[in-house]
Amino acid sequence: MQDVVMTPVRDSIHREITPLNEDDCFLVFDRQRSLFTYPIHFHPEYEINFIANARGARRVVGDSIEEIDDYELVMVGPNLYHGWENFRNTGKALLHEITIQFPRDIFGDSLIAKNMLKPIRDLLNNAQRGLSFSKETARQIEGRLTSLSQKRGFDSFIEFQSLLYDLATSRGQRLLTNLSFQHSNDFHNSERIEKIYNYVRANFSKKIMLEEAAALLNMSVVSFSRLIKQRTGKSFIEFVNEMRLGYATRLLIESNKSVSEICYECGFNNISNFNRTFKKKQKCTPSEFRMNFNGTKNVF
């Protein structure tokens, strides 16, 4: 892989200046190494990462921190924090890493809006929150990724588009981050849900009443609750709390504010409720999350 420039943002997060030029459709990097050496970083390009033989390593995408298995396939959207640290992986086996980077405007607004490209449009949109693909998908796609790194010219671009479509329609996809870590609106296909999303985003630090939210759409509480459940898969309070948790994890990462300050700033009415809700979602307390995230800077 070509050298990249890392510009410090905070101690453990860097802005990567990738080698992707204006005239490039995409870049593929295929490499083997013993251990991970990159810090947590972000960049304006989309990125697909395939990793094999790194069982026990730890993935950081936005506010998601997870230990990985022997096959890993993840896609991240523009400016979403991401990186892998060695954690429990000892480096005894060479890890195989294939990275694809491509620009946000690769398809153009008019092309990506076509019905035929809806699966890819949804894929790019979901990648704003980070996408993890199943181990089966990672295994199936390994050969194609290796082959893509060896192709040249227009054939490589055709295969790249086919690859995106197959990823878009694959089973077992999983969103990695909380709602507020996305950098584009994934409710563009529903004006009513978008209106509620914007309302919650503007008022998450305050007390939000179900009745008031329903009134915004001129709906009864029952009908409104049903709509939210159908479109988000969550109850309204779960939807609001996920928004709050997204902002909380961002503050834990980006600021030096105390857990107590973050709790109230994000609309939780007491520390106990904040800790309980946070731990249910993140599988750790806010203090542990901050310690785990900041700890990534010490392993490179």
Side-chain angles (χ1 to χ4, degrees):
M1 182 176 179
Q2 301 179 42
D3 292 336
V4 297
V5 178
M6 289 290 189
T7 305
V9 177
R10 278 178 56 82
D11 290 342
S12 57
I13 307 170
H14 294 72
R15 185 188 190 283
E16 177 185 344
I17 301 175
T18 71
L20 197 69
N21 296 320
E22 285 186 9
D23 297 334
D24 294 326
C25 288
F26 65 94
L27 294 177
V28 185
F29 309 106
D30 189 337
R31 54 198 179 272
Q32 291 185 320
R33 50 181 169 168
S34 297
L35 294 168
F36 294 104
T37 56
Y38 272 40
I40 307 302
H41 60 281
F42 66 96
H43 44 70
E45 294 80 17
Y46 283 93
E47 183 170 295
I48 299 170
N49 265 295
F50 166 86
I51 300 169
N53 303 325
R55 180 192 292 268
R58 187 159 64 177
R59 177 209 324 119
V60 177
V61 173
D63 57 357
S64 170
I65 303 176
E66 297 179 347
E67 187 171 336
I68 70 172
D69 207 339
D70 49 358
Y71 275 89
E72 165 90 334
L73 183 61
V74 166
M75 182 174 177
V76 296
N79 299 318
L80 181 61
Y81 307 150
H82 62 280
W84 284 258
E85 59 171 333
N86 299 312
F87 197 46
R88 302 182 195 278
N89 180 44
T90 61
K92 291 181 179 179
L94 282 178
L95 63 89
H96 183 201
E97 187 175 15
I98 301 176
T99 301
I100 302 175
Q101 293 176 339
F102 58 98
R104 285 177 283 190
D105 61 354
I106 188 169
F107 290 106
D109 292 340
S110 59
L111 178 60
I112 199 64
K114 303 298 183 184
N115 290 336
M116 187 178 293
L117 289 183
K118 184 181 185 303
I120 294 179
R121 183 168 72 245
D122 291 342
L123 176 75
L124 298 180
N125 191 54
N126 287 334
Q128 308 289 338
R129 292 175 59 188
L131 268 177
S132 175
F133 299 91
S134 70
K135 183 186 292 188
E136 290 72 24
T137 299
R139 283 174 171 162
Q140 291 169 3
I141 218 164
E142 180 177 10
R144 292 178 63 188
L145 289 170
T146 301
S147 175
L148 182 63
S149 68
Q150 299 167 356
K151 289 182 180 292
R152 295 292 182 272
F154 191 67
D155 286 344
S156 67
F157 186 61
I158 294 297
E159 173 61 16
F160 170 66
Q161 293 178 85
S162 175
L163 185 69
L164 287 180
Y165 183 83
D166 288 344
L167 286 177
T169 56
S170 66
R171 296 183 177 182
Q173 300 176 37
R174 182 167 59 92
L175 290 168
L176 293 175
T177 71
N178 282 311
L179 283 169
S180 61
F181 257 84
Q182 63 195 7
H183 287 266
S184 71
N185 194 347
D186 67 354
F187 302 117
H188 58 83
N189 59 345
S190 172
E191 290 183 5
R192 293 185 299 178
I193 296 297
E194 181 177 347
K195 186 173 184 179
I196 293 302
Y197 174 81
N198 290 333
Y199 171 73
V200 173
R201 185 171 58 179
N203 296 280
F204 70 90
S205 62
K206 309 170 187 176
K207 186 174 182 179
I208 297 178
M209 301 297 293
L210 174 61
E211 294 80 6
E212 293 176 2
L216 283 177
L217 302 185
N218 296 316
M219 298 178 71
S220 70
V221 168
V222 173
S223 296
F224 174 78
S225 298
R226 187 183 302 119
L227 172 70
I228 294 295
K229 187 71 173 180
Q230 288 175 343
R231 299 309 300 267
T232 70
K234 303 175 177 67
S235 68
F236 182 64
I237 187 60
E238 289 171 338
F239 176 76
V240 171
N241 279 341
E242 183 166 338
M243 289 286 291
R244 287 172 170 158
L245 287 173
Y247 285 102
T249 51
R250 186 180 291 277
L251 286 172
L252 287 166
I253 293 169
E254 297 178 351
S255 78
N256 294 318
K257 294 181 178 180
S258 70
V259 171
S260 179
E261 288 177 300
I262 292 172
C263 163
Y264 293 107
E265 187 170 327
C266 291
F268 291 94
N269 54 12
N270 62 70
I271 289 291
S272 297
N273 181 42
F274 177 50
N275 282 332
R276 182 171 57 254
T277 306
F278 192 98
K279 190 169 185 177
K280 183 178 179 180
K281 174 70 176 179
Q282 298 293 145
K283 312 304 180 187
C284 64
T285 67
S287 296
E288 289 168 342
F289 175 85
R290 173 174 269 172
M291 185 182 302
N292 288 337
F293 194 96
N294 289 339
T296 62
K297 65 188 175 187
N298 298 320
V299 299
F300 299 103

